[in-house]
Amino acid sequence: MKQPLGVILAGGLATRMGGGDKTLLRIGGQTLLSRVIDRIEPQVAGLALNANGDAARFGTALPVLPDSVGGFVGPLAGVLAGLDWAAEQGADSIVTVAGDTPFFPCDLVPQLLLAAEGQDYPLALAATPRDGDALKSGGRANRHPTFGLWPVALREDLRAALQGGLRKVVLWTDRHGAGEALFPVGPFDPFFNVNTPEDLARAEALA
């Protein structure tokens, strides 16, 4: 399979931060967006940003993809916008990352590709252990639905699901037997994201 394209999901409303674009907040002298780009760009064949409204505010050379389903229906709308863009590029798949999560793993893409091996479609979500060693005793992982590998071949299925009212990512991924790429939690969760001013202060300390 060809190396996937990357899509940074930044189409949310950031209500817990008082609105605006979380990706333009700064930690350690860099915007969250620039930190996310630095992490994902080496792992993918090309990169775009999913966001709504005036693209110029991001000051980026990346293609900016608005949701292809209106009404801020959640991250699956951004996934679909990314899949539509990838189809135009002749790509097989995309990997999505959240624009407010600056410390995600530097081996995200290869681990997602491994998790999808042997499946009908390259579909997998990132996950972390929910309770330390719980997975060894059959416990479930904590899935991170904005960090996933998504097949272009299922984009019309996803479009129909969204138009039918589906909003929850894992309901759709479970329907298609998505794999899980399990990542360890070290001193902190690598999928820690900035939702509140307190989170921003914590991210600044971690940076």
Side-chain angles (χ1 to χ4, degrees):
M1 191 176 71
K2 290 182 285 192
Q3 190 72 359
L5 296 173
V7 177
I8 299 168
L9 299 177
L13 296 171
T15 49
R16 283 182 282 178
M17 288 295 290
D21 293 295
K22 285 193 287 183
T23 54
L24 299 180
L25 298 171
R26 302 182 84 85
I27 60 168
Q30 277 183 285
T31 64
L32 291 178
L33 179 59
S34 67
R35 285 180 171 270
V36 169
I37 290 171
D38 287 349
R39 279 196 178 236
I40 191 60
E41 203 161 40
Q43 303 187 51
V44 292
L47 190 59
L49 175 67
N50 160 241
N52 299 296
D54 181 13
R57 70 190 190 274
F58 294 103
T60 178
L62 299 180
V64 180
L65 317 171
D67 288 351
S68 38
V69 175
F72 295 100
V73 299
L76 281 175
V79 172
L80 179 59
L83 290 173
D84 286 341
W85 168 71
E88 294 168 7
Q89 314 297 312
D92 296 331
S93 61
I94 63 169
V95 166
T96 56
V97 298
D100 61 358
T101 307
F103 309 114
F104 64 85
C106 292
D107 61 345
L108 176 74
V109 173
Q111 295 302 326
L112 286 169
L113 289 170
L114 277 174
E117 276 190 354
Q119 296 180 177
D120 291 337
Y121 300 104
L123 180 63
L125 295 180
T128 45
R130 185 167 285 174
D131 298 303
D133 292 333
L135 294 187
K136 294 176 186 171
S137 55
R140 285 197 63 85
N142 185 31
R143 290 178 288 185
H144 301 281
T146 51
F147 288 83
L149 171 69
W150 311 87
V152 170
L154 287 179
R155 71 190 176 108
E156 296 307 331
D157 184 291
L158 177 56
R159 195 185 320 278
L162 280 167
Q163 290 169 346
L166 183 81
R167 299 294 177 260
K168 195 167 174 59
V169 173
V170 296
L171 290 180
W172 188 79
T173 57
D174 283 352
R175 185 183 300 171
H176 294 287
E180 288 181 7
L182 192 66
F183 292 89
V185 174
F188 62 91
D189 186 339
F191 297 99
F192 160 72
N193 66 315
V194 176
N195 278 323
T196 65
E198 292 74 24
D199 291 338
L200 186 66
R202 185 178 173 219
E204 180 71 47
L206 290 170

